Amino acid sequence: MKVFFLSTPRGMDKLGDNYQKIYDSISRLGYENVSNFIVGVEPEAFYKGAEVDRVKHYKQMVDDVKRADVVVFETSTHSLAVGHMVNLALSMGKPVV
């Protein structure tokens, strides 16, 4: 089963260890993570990135959701972008956790 896991980079300072544990648990359970964005992102660089990079990132996230069988969002930190991705996944008929 392919799993898309996402949260906001804004939470990395406080919740980054939890993000990694969730990501690792998905793999340990035998599922495939379709994106490693949240465990590999440098928040400061990400938010200072050029618009062209953000567009590319968004398109990649949409493609990753399309490839996933189920999507998982960690939503302890507020994020309009994560909310948008939840809505997108639901509109595609994806199971959302």
Side-chain angles (χ1 to χ4, degrees):
M1 179 180 295
K2 295 179 182 178
V3 179
F4 175 80
F5 168 58
L6 184 66
S7 192
T8 178
R10 283 189 190 91
M12 288 296 288
D13 287 344
K14 293 182 181 178
L15 300 170
D17 289 340
N18 290 344
Y19 296 171
Q20 187 67 56
K21 288 176 185 176
I22 294 167
Y23 183 88
D24 292 344
S25 293
I26 290 167
S27 295
R28 193 172 46 255
L29 290 167
Y31 304 126
E32 177 186 344
N33 280 293
V34 297
S35 172
N36 68 350
F37 167 74
I38 197 58
V39 295
V41 67
E42 292 292 332
E44 190 171 326
F46 175 73
Y47 288 113
K48 288 183 179 180
E51 183 177 347
V52 67
D53 294 330
R54 290 182 194 208
V55 170
K56 181 179 175 183
H57 167 73
Y58 176 76
K59 289 179 180 180
Q60 181 62 55
M61 293 292 101
V62 171
D63 287 344
D64 290 344
V65 169
K66 287 178 182 177
R67 290 187 308 123
D69 298 307
V70 63
V71 295
V72 177
F73 296 99
E74 199 292 328
T75 60
S76 296
T77 304
H78 68 86
S79 170
L80 290 174
V82 172
H84 172 74
M85 294 304 291
V86 169
N87 185 57
L88 180 72
L90 289 170
S91 72
M92 291 180 186
K94 301 289 181 170
V96 173
V97 177

